Amino acid sequence: MENIEQKLISRINEHAAPIRIMHVCGTHERTISKYAIRDIISKDVQLLSGPGCPVCVTPAEDIDFAISLAKSGKVIASFGDMMRVPGTRGSLFDARSDGYDIRMVYSIDDAVKIAKDNPTLDIVFFGIGFETTAPANAAALLREVPENFSMLTSHKLMPPAMEILTEDTIVDGFLAPGHVSTIIGTYPYNSVSERGFPIVVTGFEVLDVLLGIAMVQNQIESGRSCVENAYSRCVNVEGNLKAQEMMYLVFKKIDSKWRGIGMIEKSGLALKKEFEQFDAVNVYADIYEKAQHEKKVSDIDNNQNEMWEGCICAEILTARAQPAQCPLFGKRCSPKNPVGPCMVSLEGTCYNWYKYTHNK
Ligand code: SF4
């Protein structure tokens, strides 16, 4: 007797017609790569990997600013994978090897604790991530935060990026990210589906991903494009209202630069004026201006996608190429020695392809 997974695979394969479904979530890529979902469904149903890895889309200029702060004597508190992503002049990890004080933390609370325990030091927390992490960072700033703490904010919002992808990428439908959707709900994707793109909010088990694929396929077959929810055990229409409230008490939407993609309207978060005493760009405006100036005059080692020569992460992040098409993949670039951001994190497409498909 067929189990549910086999039934879904049969359903997907029996109804297979050439379609391209994009996910925008590093955890989806991990499930797809780890369980070889691309190999068990029809080749006609292409699964594309979009910009779902937070450290991959963090602009190099933000990394450069964090390094400049460290070189000016500030303590940088960063997530571990962010430390390994190269900016235009090396990574935070390189800067730590050069002797600067850069500490790995698991949350903003760890960074606040460092600040409280070390009142003579200036601590800058590198706040990155999508709607999933922004509420926790907002909550921390709404609690008591010491004066020697500030935050370099580089949060991104997913729905505006999906809208841009519908313009630039050949895609027929989306698997929307489960984690982000627990916070924002399903309704913010309406603006994407109204452009004619089926969207299914999808969880992270193999069964979830197969169900999401079958539901996108079903919408395409029946000529519909709407937002459906295949992750209703965690996601509802309106999302986590408390988390959204905290997020927008502290942050405001801004136009934001995504590494490998460029500026996207209203796709990022910045601290509101009421919290400017914690905004590293405001507190250390002189260092920020200097870092911006240095970036302008050092474009020789940079390009508009902020990728090193030979690295095609910009194409990977927009599904215009796959990791195996990169000449550096598995040669000069590996998880041990990442050349581009997509090879650094557990959520990076190149990382997952290397870990689960390379040499197999
Ligand atoms: Fe960039 Fe490495 Fe991926 Fe190539 S394999 S696109 S160099 S991260």
Side-chain angles (χ1 to χ4, degrees), residues 266-282:
K266 303 279 182 228
S267 70
L269 295 174
L271 287 167
K272 283 182 167 175
K273 191 154 180 53
E274 303 91 284
F275 294 88
E276 67 181 12
Q277 73 272 30
F278 301 121
D279 186 347
V281 170
N282 176 60

Side-chain angles (χ1 to χ4, degrees), residues 311-313 316 326 328-329 333 339-343 350:
C311 172
I312 60 166
C313 269
I316 306 279
C326 175
L328 309 185
F329 179 75
C333 184
V339 173
C342 304
M343 190 58 96
C350 294

Side-chain angles (χ1 to χ4, degrees), residues 144-184:
E144 200 184 333
V145 175
E147 281 179 6
N148 61 331
F149 177 90
S150 63
M151 179 165 154
L152 196 179
T153 309
S154 194
H155 285 300
K156 307 283 179 234
L157 303 172
M158 188 49 79
M162 290 168 73
E163 284 182 28
I164 289 292
L165 289 165
T166 63
E167 293 168 8
D168 288 350
T169 310
I170 302 165
V171 58
D172 300 301
F174 289 96
L175 303 182
H179 294 141
V180 164
S181 307
T182 59
I183 303 296
I184 66 172

Side-chain angles (χ1 to χ4, degrees), residues 174-331:
F174 289 96
L175 303 182
H179 294 141
V180 164
S181 307
T182 59
I183 303 296
I184 66 172
T186 62
Y187 76 89
Y189 302 114
N190 288 344
S191 59
V192 184
S193 72
E194 281 160 8
R195 294 171 172 229
F197 294 87
I199 296 179
V200 177
V201 175
T202 302
F204 304 103
E205 304 296 330
V206 173
L207 195 57
D208 292 320
V209 173
L210 290 172
L211 180 62
I213 295 167
M215 288 171 70
V216 169
Q217 201 182 28
N218 190 39
Q219 283 196 46
I220 292 170
E221 275 170 19
S222 54
R224 293 180 297 125
S225 62
C226 59
V227 182
E228 292 180 319
N229 186 2
Y231 197 36
S232 57
R233 63 186 186 277
C234 295
V235 174
N236 59 29
V237 173
E238 60 191 12
N240 184 330
L241 294 178
K242 186 72 195 162
Q244 291 170 33
E245 185 191 337
M246 277 193 301
M247 199 159 101
Y248 289 110
L249 268 174
V250 172
F251 298 115
K252 62 182 179 188
K253 289 184 185 177
I254 54 162
D255 298 348
S256 185
K257 187 174 186 184
W258 293 51
R259 193 171 192 173
I261 298 177
M263 287 299 282
I264 303 178
E265 211 178 310
K266 303 279 182 228
S267 70
L269 295 174
L271 287 167
K272 283 182 167 175
K273 191 154 180 53
E274 303 91 284
F275 294 88
E276 67 181 12
Q277 73 272 30
F278 301 121
D279 186 347
V281 170
N282 176 60
V283 177
Y284 305 113
D286 51 337
I287 301 169
Y288 179 72
E289 293 302 329
K290 192 159 171 267
Q292 290 292 101
H293 175 73
E294 281 170 2
K295 177 178 159 30
K296 279 192 196 115
V297 296
S298 75
D299 275 350
I300 39 165
D301 60 359
N302 197 7
N303 59 40
Q304 73 175 58
N305 289 322
E306 301 190 322
M307 302 298 174
W308 292 102
E309 198 177 339
C311 172
I312 60 166
C313 269
E315 285 76 18
I316 306 279
L317 287 165
T318 48
R320 285 174 283 149
Q322 296 183 335
Q325 291 171 268
C326 175
L328 309 185
F329 179 75
K331 300 183 179 91

